[in-house]
């Protein structure tokens, strides 16, 4: 890859971070892992062609042009969180993914808006936790976060625990931590 192409890819990933909270490659890989999908199945659920998904993941393209696809991405993120905490089984997840695939996307959402809020407009605890995890994981790899936590542990044990739980831990553990520290 030439220097110009590398620069264009880096710029596209930075735009993705601005619009979607993280590069789409990281977001899509997490959905693939969390929901037990492959790229072809993820593309089908989202309503994207496999080449378009690949281009978004690699940073060759920056933006998802179809607002309905953005809304499906958000629905899959919420579903992945529910699978992670055990509130949705694998069988239920497969059914929900078919419903998501068939959905027209409803309202026209901007890339940064969230559909995973109750009717009060307040984000769910799980959504807040997933956003914190996503932000930390877009900044550094889990091993680097653990190393930073280890370096802080002696002088700042609470901050070290935060980094470990949200930066490298399971969503269910982070939700429990969040709920324990609200007050």
């Amino acid at each position: 890859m030439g220097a110009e192409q590398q620069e264009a890819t880096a710029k596209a990933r930075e735009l993705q971070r601005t619009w979607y909270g993280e590069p789409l490659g990281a977001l899509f890989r997490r959905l693939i892992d969390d929901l037990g999908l492959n790229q072809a199945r993820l593309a089908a659920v989202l309503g994207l062609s496999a080449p378009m998904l690949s281009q978004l993941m690699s940073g060759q393209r920056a933006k998802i042009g179809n607002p309905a696809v953005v809304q499906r991405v958000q629905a899959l993120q919420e579903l992945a969180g529910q699978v992670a905490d055990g509130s949705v089984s694998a069988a239920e997840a497969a059914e929900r993914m078919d419903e998501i695939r068939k959905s027209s996307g409803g309202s026209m959402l901007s890339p940064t808006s969230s559909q995973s809020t109750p009717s009060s407009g307040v984000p769910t605890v799980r959504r807040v936790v997933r956003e914190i995890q996503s932000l930390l994981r877009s900044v550094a790899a889990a091993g680097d976060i653990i190393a930073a936590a280890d370096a802080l542990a002696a002088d700042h044990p609470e901050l070290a625990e935060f980094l470990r739980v949200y930066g490298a831990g399971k969503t269910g553990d982070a939700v429990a931590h969040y709920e324990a520290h609200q007050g």
Side-chain angles (χ1 to χ4, degrees), residues 30-123:
R30 194 172 56 255
L31 289 175
I32 287 167
D33 291 344
D34 290 353
L35 295 171
L37 303 172
N38 59 35
Q39 283 189 17
R41 175 75 173 132
L42 178 61
V45 172
L46 293 176
L48 293 171
S49 68
M52 176 61 78
L53 179 73
S54 179
Q55 290 171 1
L56 288 164
M57 288 182 76
S58 68
Q60 291 175 302
R61 289 185 181 254
K63 189 171 188 177
I64 300 171
N66 183 337
V69 173
V70 173
Q71 201 165 17
R72 288 186 202 110
V73 169
Q74 293 167 339
L76 284 179
Q77 286 178 289
E78 183 69 16
L79 179 60
Q82 293 167 342
V83 169
D85 76 2
S87 63
V88 172
S89 71
E92 291 169 322
E95 288 177 22
R96 293 266 306 276
M97 282 188 277
D98 282 337
E99 292 169 13
I100 290 167
R101 181 182 55 78
K102 294 173 186 171
S103 73
S104 64
S107 64
M108 304 277 272
L109 290 180
S110 69
T112 55
S113 63
S114 170
Q115 98 182 43
S116 57
T117 56
S119 59
S120 66
V122 177

Coordinates of all heavy atoms in Angstrom, one line a residue, residues 30-123:
R30 N -16.0 -7.1 16.3 CA -16.6 -7.4 17.6 C -18.0 -8.0 17.4 O -18.3 -9.0 18.0 CB -16.6 -6.1 18.4 CG -16.9 -6.5 19.9 CD -16.8 -5.3 20.8 NE -17.7 -4.2 20.5 CZ -17.2 -3.0 19.9 NH1 -15.9 -2.9 19.7 NH2 -18.0 -2.1 19.6
L31 N -18.8 -7.4 16.4 CA -20.1 -8.0 16.2 C -19.9 -9.5 15.6 O -20.7 -10.3 16.0 CB -20.8 -7.2 15.2 CG -21.3 -5.8 15.7 CD1 -22.0 -5.0 14.5 CD2 -22.3 -6.0 16.8
I32 N -19.0 -9.7 14.8 CA -18.7 -11.0 14.2 C -18.4 -12.0 15.4 O -19.0 -13.1 15.4 CB -17.6 -11.0 13.2 CG1 -18.2 -10.3 11.9 CG2 -17.1 -12.4 12.9 CD1 -17.1 -9.9 10.9
D33 N -17.5 -11.6 16.3 CA -17.1 -12.4 17.4 C -18.3 -12.6 18.4 O -18.6 -13.8 18.7 CB -15.9 -11.8 18.1 CG -14.6 -11.8 17.3 OD1 -14.6 -12.6 16.3 OD2 -13.7 -11.1 17.7
D34 N -18.9 -11.5 18.8 CA -20.0 -11.6 19.8 C -21.2 -12.4 19.3 O -21.8 -13.0 20.1 CB -20.4 -10.2 20.2 CG -19.3 -9.5 21.0 OD1 -18.3 -10.0 21.4 OD2 -19.5 -8.2 21.3
L35 N -21.5 -12.3 18.0 CA -22.7 -12.9 17.5 C -22.5 -14.2 16.8 O -23.4 -14.8 16.2 CB -23.5 -11.9 16.7 CG -24.0 -10.7 17.4 CD1 -24.6 -9.7 16.4 CD2 -25.1 -11.1 18.4
G36 N -21.2 -14.6 16.7 CA -20.8 -15.9 16.0 C -21.1 -15.9 14.5 O -21.6 -16.8 13.9
L37 N -20.8 -14.7 13.9 CA -21.1 -14.6 12.4 C -19.8 -14.7 11.6 O -18.7 -14.7 12.2 CB -21.7 -13.2 12.2 CG -23.0 -12.8 12.9 CD1 -23.3 -11.3 12.7 CD2 -24.1 -13.7 12.5
N38 N -20.0 -14.7 10.3 CA -18.8 -14.5 9.5 C -19.1 -13.2 8.7 O -20.2 -12.7 8.8 CB -18.6 -15.7 8.5 CG -19.8 -16.0 7.6 OD1 -20.5 -15.2 7.2 ND2 -20.0 -17.3 7.4
Q39 N -18.2 -12.8 7.9 CA -18.4 -11.5 7.2 C -19.5 -11.5 6.3 O -20.3 -10.5 6.2 CB -17.1 -11.1 6.5 CG -16.0 -10.5 7.4 CD -14.9 -9.9 6.6 OE1 -15.0 -9.6 5.4 NE2 -13.8 -9.7 7.3
A40 N -19.7 -12.6 5.6 CA -20.8 -12.7 4.6 C -22.2 -12.6 5.3 O -23.1 -11.9 4.8 CB -20.7 -14.0 3.8
R41 N -22.3 -13.3 6.4 CA -23.6 -13.3 7.2 C -23.8 -11.9 7.8 O -24.9 -11.4 7.7 CB -23.5 -14.3 8.3 CG -24.7 -14.3 9.2 CD -26.0 -14.9 8.6 NE -27.0 -14.9 9.6 CZ -28.3 -14.5 9.5 NH1 -28.7 -14.0 8.3 NH2 -29.1 -14.6 10.4
L42 N -22.7 -11.2 8.3 CA -22.9 -9.9 8.8 C -23.3 -8.9 7.7 O -24.3 -8.1 7.9 CB -21.6 -9.4 9.4 CG -21.6 -7.9 10.0 CD1 -22.7 -7.7 11.1 CD2 -20.2 -7.5 10.5
A43 N -22.7 -9.0 6.5 CA -23.1 -8.2 5.4 C -24.6 -8.4 5.0 O -25.3 -7.4 4.8 CB -22.2 -8.5 4.2
A44 N -25.0 -9.7 5.0 CA -26.4 -10.0 4.7 C -27.4 -9.4 5.7 O -28.4 -8.8 5.4 CB -26.6 -11.5 4.6
V45 N -27.0 -9.5 7.0 CA -27.9 -9.0 8.1 C -28.0 -7.4 8.0 O -29.1 -6.8 8.1 CB -27.4 -9.4 9.5 CG1 -28.2 -8.7 10.6 CG2 -27.6 -10.9 9.7
L46 N -26.9 -6.8 7.7 CA -26.8 -5.3 7.6 C -27.5 -4.8 6.3 O -27.9 -3.7 6.2 CB -25.4 -4.8 7.7 CG -24.7 -5.0 9.0 CD1 -23.3 -4.6 9.0 CD2 -25.5 -4.3 10.1
G47 N -27.5 -5.7 5.3 CA -28.1 -5.2 4.0 C -27.0 -4.6 3.1 O -27.3 -3.7 2.3
L48 N -25.7 -5.0 3.3 CA -24.6 -4.5 2.6 C -24.1 -5.6 1.7 O -24.2 -6.8 2.0 CB -23.5 -4.1 3.5 CG -23.6 -2.9 4.4 CD1 -22.5 -2.7 5.3 CD2 -23.7 -1.6 3.5
S49 N -23.4 -5.3 0.6 CA -22.7 -6.3 -0.2 C -21.5 -6.7 0.6 O -20.9 -5.9 1.4 CB -22.4 -5.8 -1.6 OG -21.4 -4.8 -1.5
A50 N -21.0 -7.9 0.4 CA -19.7 -8.3 1.0 C -18.6 -7.4 0.7 O -17.8 -7.0 1.5 CB -19.4 -9.8 0.7
P51 N -18.4 -7.0 -0.6 CA -17.3 -6.0 -0.9 C -17.5 -4.7 -0.2 O -16.5 -4.1 0.2 CB -17.4 -5.9 -2.5 CG -18.1 -7.1 -2.9 CD -19.1 -7.5 -1.8
M52 N -18.7 -4.2 -0.1 CA -18.9 -2.9 0.6 C -18.5 -3.1 2.1 O -17.8 -2.2 2.7 CB -20.3 -2.4 0.5 CG -20.6 -1.2 1.3 SD -19.6 0.3 0.8 CE -20.5 0.7 -0.6
L53 N -18.9 -4.2 2.7 CA -18.5 -4.4 4.1 C -17.0 -4.5 4.3 O -16.4 -3.8 5.2 CB -19.1 -5.7 4.6 CG -18.8 -6.1 6.1 CD1 -19.5 -5.2 7.1 CD2 -19.1 -7.6 6.4
S54 N -16.3 -5.2 3.3 CA -14.9 -5.2 3.4 C -14.2 -3.9 3.2 O -13.3 -3.5 3.9 CB -14.4 -6.2 2.2 OG -13.0 -6.3 2.2
Q55 N -14.8 -3.1 2.3 CA -14.2 -1.7 2.1 C -14.4 -0.8 3.4 O -13.5 -0.1 3.7 CB -14.9 -1.0 0.9 CG -14.5 -1.7 -0.4 CD -15.3 -1.2 -1.6 OE1 -16.2 -0.3 -1.4 NE2 -15.0 -1.7 -2.8
L56 N -15.5 -1.0 4.0 CA -15.8 -0.2 5.3 C -14.8 -0.7 6.4 O -14.3 0.1 7.1 CB -17.2 -0.3 5.7 CG -18.2 0.4 4.9 CD1 -19.7 -0.1 5.2 CD2 -18.2 1.9 5.1
M57 N -14.6 -2.0 6.5 CA -13.8 -2.6 7.5 C -12.3 -2.2 7.3 O -11.6 -1.9 8.3 CB -13.9 -4.1 7.5 CG -15.2 -4.6 8.1 SD -15.3 -6.4 8.2 CE -14.2 -6.7 9.6
S58 N -11.9 -2.1 6.0 CA -10.5 -1.8 5.8 C -10.2 -0.3 5.7 O -9.0 0.0 5.6 CB -10.1 -2.5 4.4 OG -10.7 -1.8 3.4
G59 N -11.2 0.5 5.7 CA -11.0 1.9 5.7 C -10.9 2.5 4.2 O -10.5 3.6 4.0
Q60 N -11.2 1.6 3.3 CA -11.2 2.1 1.9 C -12.4 3.0 1.7 O -12.4 3.9 0.8 CB -11.3 0.9 0.9 CG -10.0 0.1 0.8 CD -10.2 -1.1 -0.1 OE1 -11.1 -1.9 0.2 NE2 -9.4 -1.2 -1.1
R61 N -13.5 2.8 2.4 CA -14.6 3.7 2.5 C -14.9 4.1 3.9 O -14.7 3.3 4.8 CB -15.9 3.0 2.0 CG -15.9 2.8 0.5 CD -17.2 2.2 0.0 NE -17.2 1.9 -1.4 CZ -17.8 2.7 -2.3 NH1 -18.6 3.7 -1.9 NH2 -17.8 2.4 -3.5
A62 N -15.3 5.4 4.1 CA -15.4 5.9 5.5 C -16.8 5.7 6.0 O -17.0 5.4 7.2 CB -15.0 7.3 5.5
K63 N -17.8 6.0 5.2 CA -19.2 6.2 5.7 C -20.2 5.2 5.2 O -20.1 4.8 4.0 CB -19.7 7.6 5.3 CG -21.0 8.0 6.0 CD -21.3 9.5 5.8 CE -22.5 9.9 6.6 NZ -22.8 11.3 6.4
I64 N -21.1 4.8 6.0 CA -22.2 4.0 5.6 C -23.2 4.9 5.1 O -23.7 5.8 5.8 CB -22.8 3.2 6.8 CG1 -21.8 2.3 7.5 CG2 -24.1 2.4 6.4 CD1 -22.2 1.6 8.8
G65 N -23.5 4.8 3.8 CA -24.4 5.8 3.1 C -25.9 5.6 3.4 O -26.6 6.6 3.3
N66 N -26.3 4.4 3.8 CA -27.7 4.2 4.0 C -28.1 4.3 5.5 O -27.6 3.4 6.3 CB -28.0 2.8 3.5 CG -29.5 2.4 3.6 OD1 -30.2 2.9 4.4 ND2 -29.9 1.5 2.7
P67 N -28.9 5.2 5.9 CA -29.3 5.3 7.3 C -29.9 4.0 7.9 O -29.8 3.8 9.1 CB -30.3 6.5 7.4 CG -30.0 7.2 6.1 CD -29.6 6.2 5.1
A68 N -30.6 3.3 7.1 CA -31.2 2.0 7.6 C -30.1 1.0 8.0 O -30.3 0.3 9.0 CB -32.1 1.4 6.5
V69 N -29.0 1.0 7.3 CA -27.9 0.1 7.6 C -27.3 0.6 8.9 O -26.9 -0.2 9.8 CB -26.8 0.1 6.5 CG1 -25.6 -0.7 6.9 CG2 -27.4 -0.5 5.2
V70 N -27.1 1.9 9.1 CA -26.6 2.4 10.4 C -27.5 2.0 11.5 O -27.0 1.5 12.6 CB -26.5 4.0 10.4 CG1 -26.1 4.5 11.7 CG2 -25.5 4.4 9.3
Q71 N -28.8 2.0 11.3 CA -29.7 1.6 12.4 C -29.6 0.1 12.7 O -29.7 -0.3 13.8 CB -31.2 2.0 12.0 CG -32.1 2.0 13.2 CD -33.4 2.7 12.9 OE1 -33.8 2.9 11.8 NE2 -34.1 3.1 13.9
R72 N -29.4 -0.7 11.6 CA -29.2 -2.1 11.8 C -27.9 -2.4 12.6 O -27.8 -3.3 13.4 CB -29.2 -2.9 10.5 CG -30.5 -2.9 9.8 CD -30.5 -3.8 8.5 NE -31.6 -3.4 7.7 CZ -31.5 -2.8 6.5 NH1 -30.4 -2.4 6.0 NH2 -32.6 -2.5 5.9
V73 N -26.8 -1.6 12.3 CA -25.6 -1.8 13.1 C -25.9 -1.5 14.5 O -25.4 -2.3 15.4 CB -24.5 -0.8 12.6 CG1 -23.3 -0.7 13.5 CG2 -24.0 -1.2 11.2
Q74 N -26.6 -0.5 14.8 CA -26.9 -0.1 16.2 C -27.8 -1.2 16.9 O -27.5 -1.6 18.0 CB -27.7 1.2 16.3 CG -26.8 2.4 15.9 CD -27.5 3.6 15.7 OE1 -28.7 3.6 15.4 NE2 -26.8 4.8 15.7
A75 N -28.7 -1.8 16.1 CA -29.5 -2.9 16.7 C -28.7 -4.1 16.9 O -28.8 -4.8 18.0 CB -30.6 -3.2 15.7
L76 N -27.7 -4.4 16.1 CA -26.8 -5.5 16.3 C -25.9 -5.3 17.5 O -25.6 -6.2 18.2 CB -26.0 -5.8 15.1 CG -26.7 -6.5 13.9 CD1 -25.7 -6.7 12.7 CD2 -27.3 -7.9 14.3
Q77 N -25.4 -4.1 17.7 CA -24.6 -3.8 18.9 C -25.4 -4.0 20.2 O -24.9 -4.6 21.1 CB -24.2 -2.3 18.9 CG -23.1 -2.0 17.9 CD -22.7 -0.5 17.9 OE1 -23.5 0.3 17.4 NE2 -21.6 -0.2 18.4
E78 N -26.7 -3.6 20.2 CA -27.5 -3.9 21.4 C -27.7 -5.4 21.5 O -27.6 -5.9 22.7 CB -28.9 -3.2 21.2 CG -29.8 -3.3 22.4 CD -29.3 -2.6 23.6 OE1 -28.4 -1.7 23.6 OE2 -29.8 -2.9 24.7
L79 N -28.0 -6.1 20.5 CA -28.2 -7.5 20.5 C -26.9 -8.2 21.0 O -27.0 -9.1 21.9 CB -28.6 -8.1 19.1 CG -28.8 -9.6 19.1 CD1 -29.9 -10.0 20.0 CD2 -29.1 -10.0 17.6
A80 N -25.8 -7.8 20.5 CA -24.5 -8.4 21.0 C -24.3 -8.2 22.5 O -23.9 -9.1 23.2 CB -23.3 -7.8 20.2
G81 N -24.7 -7.1 23.0 CA -24.6 -6.8 24.5 C -25.6 -7.8 25.2 O -25.2 -8.3 26.3
Q82 N -26.8 -8.0 24.7 CA -27.7 -8.9 25.3 C -27.2 -10.3 25.3 O -27.4 -11.1 26.3 CB -29.1 -8.7 24.7 CG -29.7 -7.4 24.9 CD -30.9 -7.1 24.0 OE1 -31.1 -7.8 23.0 NE2 -31.7 -6.1 24.4
V83 N -26.6 -10.7 24.2 CA -26.0 -12.1 24.2 C -24.9 -12.2 25.2 O -24.8 -13.2 25.9 CB -25.5 -12.4 22.7 CG1 -24.7 -13.7 22.7 CG2 -26.7 -12.5 21.8
A84 N -24.1 -11.2 25.3 CA -22.9 -11.2 26.2 C -23.4 -11.3 27.6 O -22.7 -12.0 28.4 CB -22.0 -10.0 26.0
D85 N -24.5 -10.7 28.0 CA -24.9 -10.7 29.4 C -25.8 -11.9 29.7 O -26.3 -12.1 30.8 CB -25.5 -9.4 29.9 CG -26.9 -9.1 29.4 OD1 -27.5 -10.0 28.6 OD2 -27.4 -8.1 29.7
G86 N -26.1 -12.7 28.6 CA -27.0 -13.9 28.8 C -28.5 -13.6 28.8 O -29.2 -14.5 29.0
S87 N -28.9 -12.4 28.6 CA -30.3 -12.1 28.6 C -31.0 -12.5 27.2 O -32.2 -12.6 27.2 CB -30.6 -10.6 28.8 OG -30.1 -9.8 27.8
V88 N -30.2 -12.9 26.2 CA -30.7 -13.4 25.0 C -29.9 -14.6 24.6 O -28.7 -14.6 24.6 CB -30.6 -12.3 23.8 CG1 -30.9 -12.9 22.5 CG2 -31.5 -11.1 24.1
S89 N -30.6 -15.7 24.3 CA -29.9 -17.0 23.9 C -29.4 -16.9 22.5 O -29.8 -16.0 21.7 CB -30.8 -18.1 24.1 OG -31.8 -18.1 23.1
A90 N -28.6 -17.8 22.1 CA -28.1 -17.9 20.7 C -29.2 -18.1 19.8 O -29.3 -17.5 18.7 CB -27.0 -19.0 20.6
A91 N -30.2 -18.9 20.1 CA -31.3 -19.2 19.2 C -32.2 -17.9 19.1 O -32.6 -17.6 18.0 CB -32.2 -20.3 19.8
E92 N -32.4 -17.2 20.2 CA -33.2 -15.9 20.1 C -32.4 -14.9 19.3 O -33.0 -14.2 18.5 CB -33.4 -15.4 21.5 CG -34.4 -16.2 22.3 CD -34.4 -15.8 23.8 OE1 -33.3 -15.5 24.4 OE2 -35.5 -15.8 24.4
A93 N -31.1 -14.9 19.4 CA -30.2 -14.0 18.7 C -30.4 -14.2 17.2 O -30.4 -13.2 16.4 CB -28.8 -14.0 19.1
A94 N -30.4 -15.5 16.8 CA -30.5 -15.8 15.4 C -31.9 -15.3 14.8 O -31.9 -14.7 13.7 CB -30.4 -17.3 15.2
E95 N -32.9 -15.4 15.6 CA -34.2 -14.9 15.2 C -34.2 -13.4 15.1 O -34.8 -12.8 14.2 CB -35.3 -15.4 16.2 CG -35.7 -16.8 16.1 CD -36.7 -17.2 17.2 OE1 -37.4 -16.3 17.7 OE2 -36.8 -18.4 17.5
R96 N -33.6 -12.8 16.1 CA -33.6 -11.3 16.2 C -32.7 -10.8 15.0 O -33.1 -9.7 14.4 CB -33.0 -10.8 17.5 CG -33.8 -11.1 18.7 CD -34.7 -9.9 19.1 NE -34.0 -8.7 19.3 CZ -33.4 -8.3 20.4 NH1 -33.4 -9.1 21.4 NH2 -32.8 -7.1 20.4
M97 N -31.7 -11.5 14.6 CA -30.9 -11.0 13.5 C -31.7 -11.1 12.2 O -31.5 -10.2 11.3 CB -29.6 -11.9 13.3 CG -28.5 -11.4 14.3 SD -26.9 -12.2 14.1 CE -27.2 -13.7 15.0
D98 N -32.5 -12.1 12.1 CA -33.4 -12.2 10.9 C -34.4 -11.0 10.9 O -34.6 -10.4 9.8 CB -34.2 -13.5 10.8 CG -33.3 -14.6 10.3 OD1 -32.3 -14.4 9.6 OD2 -33.6 -15.8 10.6
E99 N -34.9 -10.6 12.0 CA -35.8 -9.5 12.1 C -35.0 -8.2 11.8 O -35.6 -7.3 11.1 CB -36.4 -9.3 13.6 CG -37.3 -10.4 13.9 CD -37.7 -10.4 15.4 OE1 -37.4 -9.4 16.1 OE2 -38.2 -11.4 15.9
I100 N -33.8 -8.1 12.3 CA -33.0 -6.9 12.0 C -32.7 -6.8 10.5 O -32.8 -5.7 9.9 CB -31.7 -6.9 12.8 CG1 -32.0 -6.7 14.3 CG2 -30.7 -5.9 12.3 CD1 -30.8 -7.0 15.3
R101 N -32.4 -7.9 9.9 CA -32.1 -8.0 8.5 C -33.3 -7.5 7.7 O -33.2 -6.8 6.7 CB -31.7 -9.4 8.0 CG -31.4 -9.5 6.6 CD -31.1 -11.0 6.2 NE -32.1 -11.9 6.5 CZ -33.2 -12.1 5.9 NH1 -33.5 -11.4 4.8 NH2 -34.1 -13.0 6.3
K102 N -34.5 -7.9 8.1 CA -35.7 -7.5 7.4 C -36.2 -6.1 7.6 O -37.1 -5.6 6.9 CB -36.8 -8.5 7.7 CG -36.6 -9.9 7.2 CD -37.6 -10.9 7.7 CE -37.2 -12.3 7.4 NZ -38.1 -13.3 8.0
S103 N -35.7 -5.5 8.7 CA -36.1 -4.1 9.1 C -35.7 -3.1 8.0 O -34.7 -3.2 7.4 CB -35.6 -3.7 10.4 OG -34.2 -3.4 10.4
S104 N -36.6 -2.1 7.9 CA -36.3 -1.0 6.9 C -35.5 0.1 7.5 O -35.1 1.0 6.9 CB -37.6 -0.5 6.4 OG -38.3 0.1 7.4
G105 N -35.3 0.0 8.8 CA -34.5 1.0 9.5 C -35.3 2.0 10.2 O -34.8 2.8 11.0
G106 N -36.6 2.1 9.9 CA -37.4 3.1 10.5 C -37.0 4.5 10.3 O -36.8 4.9 9.2
S107 N -36.8 5.3 11.4 CA -36.5 6.7 11.2 C -35.1 6.9 10.7 O -34.2 6.0 10.9 CB -36.6 7.4 12.6 OG -35.7 6.8 13.5
M108 N -34.8 8.0 10.2 CA -33.5 8.3 9.6 C -32.6 8.8 10.7 O -32.7 9.9 11.2 CB -33.6 9.4 8.6 CG -34.6 9.1 7.5 SD -33.8 8.1 6.2 CE -33.2 9.4 5.2
L109 N -31.7 7.9 11.2 CA -30.8 8.2 12.3 C -29.5 8.7 11.8 O -29.0 8.3 10.8 CB -30.6 7.0 13.2 CG -31.7 6.4 14.0 CD1 -31.2 5.2 14.8 CD2 -32.2 7.5 14.9
S110 N -28.9 9.7 12.5 CA -27.6 10.1 12.2 C -26.6 9.0 12.7 O -27.0 8.2 13.6 CB -27.2 11.4 12.8 OG -27.2 11.2 14.2
P111 N -25.4 8.9 12.2 CA -24.5 7.8 12.6 C -24.2 7.8 14.1 O -23.9 6.8 14.7 CB -23.2 8.1 11.9 CG -23.6 8.9 10.7 CD -24.8 9.7 11.1
T112 N -24.4 8.9 14.8 CA -24.1 9.0 16.2 C -25.3 8.9 17.1 O -25.2 8.8 18.3 CB -23.3 10.3 16.6 OG1 -24.1 11.4 16.2 CG2 -22.0 10.3 15.9
S113 N -26.5 8.8 16.6 CA -27.7 8.7 17.4 C -27.8 7.3 17.9 O -27.3 6.4 17.3 CB -28.9 9.2 16.7 OG -29.2 8.4 15.6
S114 N -28.6 7.1 18.9 CA -28.7 5.7 19.5 C -30.2 5.3 19.6 O -31.0 6.1 20.0 CB -28.2 5.8 20.9 OG -28.5 4.5 21.6
Q115 N -30.5 4.1 19.1 CA -31.8 3.6 19.3 C -32.0 2.8 20.5 O -33.1 2.4 20.9 CB -32.2 2.8 18.0 CG -32.0 1.3 18.2 CD -32.4 0.5 16.9 OE1 -32.0 0.9 15.9 NE2 -33.1 -0.5 17.0
S116 N -30.9 2.5 21.2 CA -31.0 1.6 22.4 C -31.2 2.4 23.7 O -30.5 2.3 24.6 CB -29.7 0.8 22.5 OG -28.6 1.6 22.5
T117 N -32.2 3.2 23.7 CA -32.6 3.9 24.9 C -34.1 3.6 25.2 O -34.9 3.4 24.3 CB -32.4 5.4 24.7 OG1 -33.1 5.8 23.6 CG2 -31.0 5.8 24.6
P118 N -34.4 3.6 26.4 CA -35.8 3.4 26.8 C -36.6 4.6 26.4 O -36.0 5.6 26.0 CB -35.8 3.2 28.3 CG -34.5 3.7 28.8 CD -33.6 3.6 27.6
S119 N -37.9 4.6 26.5 CA -38.8 5.7 26.0 C -38.5 7.0 26.7 O -38.8 8.0 26.2 CB -40.2 5.3 26.2 OG -40.5 5.0 27.5
S120 N -37.9 6.9 27.9 CA -37.5 8.1 28.6 C -36.4 8.9 28.0 O -36.1 10.1 28.3 CB -37.1 7.8 30.1 OG -35.9 7.1 30.1
G121 N -35.7 8.3 27.0 CA -34.6 8.9 26.4 C -33.3 8.8 27.1 O -32.2 9.2 26.7
V122 N -33.3 8.1 28.2 CA -32.1 7.9 29.0 C -31.4 6.6 28.5 O -32.1 5.6 28.4 CB -32.4 7.7 30.5 CG1 -31.2 7.4 31.4 CG2 -33.1 9.0 31.0
P123 N -30.1 6.6 28.2 CA -29.4 5.4 27.8 C -29.5 4.3 28.8 O -29.4 4.6 30.0 CB -28.0 5.8 27.5 CG -28.0 7.3 27.5 CD -29.2 7.7 28.3

